[in-house]
Amino acid sequence: MSDIASAPRPASLPALDSVGLGAMIASVLAIAWSPILIRFADVAPAAAAFWRLVFSLPVLFVWAEAERRRAGRGSMASLVTRPGLVAASLAGVAFAADLAFYHAALPLTSVANASFISNLAPVASVVAGFVLLRDRIRPAVLGALAIALVGVAITSGAHRTGLTMGRGDLLALGAALAYAFYLVALRVARNTRLAADASLVSTVVASIGLIAIVLVEGGTFLPQSPQGWAVVIGLGLICQVLGQGLSAVGIGRLPAGVVAIILLSHPVLSAIIAYFVFGEALSLDQLVGGVLILAAVMMTRINMK
């Protein structure tokens, strides 16, 4: 934890970073495919998450090596001795915990509650960044974040069902806090480590953590068909390499509030993809909430100029 508390922060982040913004938007587009692909998986949920990480590792290793050579950093053999190792490792532990809590929450609470509570993670990361890292947050970004959060509540249907705090909801809250910690730890790691390097370390640690979760959960571990293998490979390449990898790029270049708002667009994008893939009609709640979230993203883009 000292790695997070004492890590040096850059004096200021640029008012507009097109690379970071593009990477963050692309990462959310990739992550939005996760619930779509999981529907086709023929393994237990934790096993799907494990294979997702495993199949991303070779690509992340090649990416980290290429990035290291381009930046003139030390050899890959010194991976574990570079600064930021603790923060990157803690990010991996938090990511595994997020998956474990979320999968445990789903059978015990409503989809609306699980969706809304788990999407509090980006907001919690902004609060944590303000408290732990002394981040400065623009009032306009806070306003956009509030609008996006209302949009998430409407999209998930939580505004109709109301939130309770049963066991499932507490587990979903645990998932949100774990993912928020993941975001903060990854930001700290990105102060001293390249994006692919930080993603590689956190993914290796998360993979190890998920082995224990798979053993506890039980269920089908190995994919049972060519389609099943294609799904977990797709999860690895699309959701982990592109999604979490590009997220690491964006997190290192953008203010926490901007990252949070863009991440909140994930459920909207998943709903749009489901409309085209499964023919699922978009409800009025999803349309209204989606408009609010996308408006918040645009507000952020305008205020970053």
Side-chain angles (χ1 to χ4, degrees), residues 2-304:
S2 60
D3 196 15
I4 293 180
S6 62
R9 297 295 300 153
S12 62
L13 286 167
L16 174 63
D17 190 315
S18 298
V19 173
L21 191 63
M24 204 67 226
I25 292 174
S27 78
V28 175
L29 284 169
I31 294 171
W33 278 93
S34 178
I36 309 301
L37 290 173
I38 287 176
R39 286 200 187 186
F40 295 102
D42 53 9
V43 294
F50 171 77
W51 288 116
R52 160 182 169 170
L53 298 186
V54 167
F55 282 112
S56 72
L57 287 174
V59 180
L60 286 175
F61 184 87
V62 172
W63 179 19
E65 175 70 8
E67 196 175 47
R68 179 196 62 78
R69 289 180 180 276
R70 187 168 59 250
R73 296 288 180 92
S75 67
M76 286 293 287
S78 65
L79 187 69
V80 297
T81 64
R82 294 180 201 163
L85 175 66
V86 174
S89 299
L90 287 174
V93 172
F95 190 58
D98 164 56
L99 293 171
F101 280 128
Y102 187 69
H103 289 156
L106 285 175
L108 301 174
T109 187
S110 68
V111 173
N113 279 14
S115 176
F116 177 72
I117 295 174
S118 63
N119 274 286
L120 293 176
V123 181
S125 72
V126 173
V127 175
F130 177 77
V131 174
L132 297 176
L133 306 178
R134 298 178 296 279
D135 285 340
R136 293 181 179 180
I137 308 171
R138 296 181 182 181
V141 172
L142 283 176
L145 187 59
I147 292 173
L149 193 57
V150 171
V152 170
I154 295 174
T155 300
S156 67
H159 69 297
R160 295 184 183 277
T161 61
L163 288 177
T164 60
M165 287 310 291
R167 183 184 173 193
D169 302 295
L170 290 174
L171 288 169
L173 182 61
L177 294 176
Y179 195 69
F181 190 90
Y182 163 79
L183 294 173
V184 173
L186 194 59
R187 285 182 59 212
V188 173
R190 285 284 285 114
N191 286 337
T192 52
R193 300 179 85 93
L194 299 169
D197 184 276
S199 294
L200 177 61
V201 172
S202 63
T203 301
V204 168
V205 173
S207 300
I208 296 171
L210 277 169
I211 293 175
I213 297 171
V214 168
L215 292 175
V216 172
E217 181 185 79
T220 305
F221 177 67
L222 290 174
Q224 303 298 298
S225 65
Q227 173 183 296
W229 283 109
V231 166
V232 293
I233 292 172
L235 283 168
L237 299 182
I238 297 172
C239 302
Q240 194 64 26
V241 175
L242 292 179
Q244 300 299 335
L246 291 176
S247 177
V249 175
I251 286 171
R253 304 175 73 107
L254 295 173
V258 175
V259 170
I261 293 169
I262 295 174
L263 284 175
L264 286 173
S265 65
H266 160 241
V268 178
L269 295 173
S270 293
I272 293 173
I273 294 172
Y275 170 78
F276 287 103
V277 175
F278 301 116
E280 294 183 359
L282 294 171
S283 67
L284 180 60
D285 284 349
Q286 289 175 320
L287 290 172
V288 173
V291 168
L292 287 175
I293 294 172
L294 295 180
V297 174
M298 291 304 298
M299 285 175 59
T300 304
R301 175 68 175 82
I302 292 171
N303 281 283
M304 285 176 65

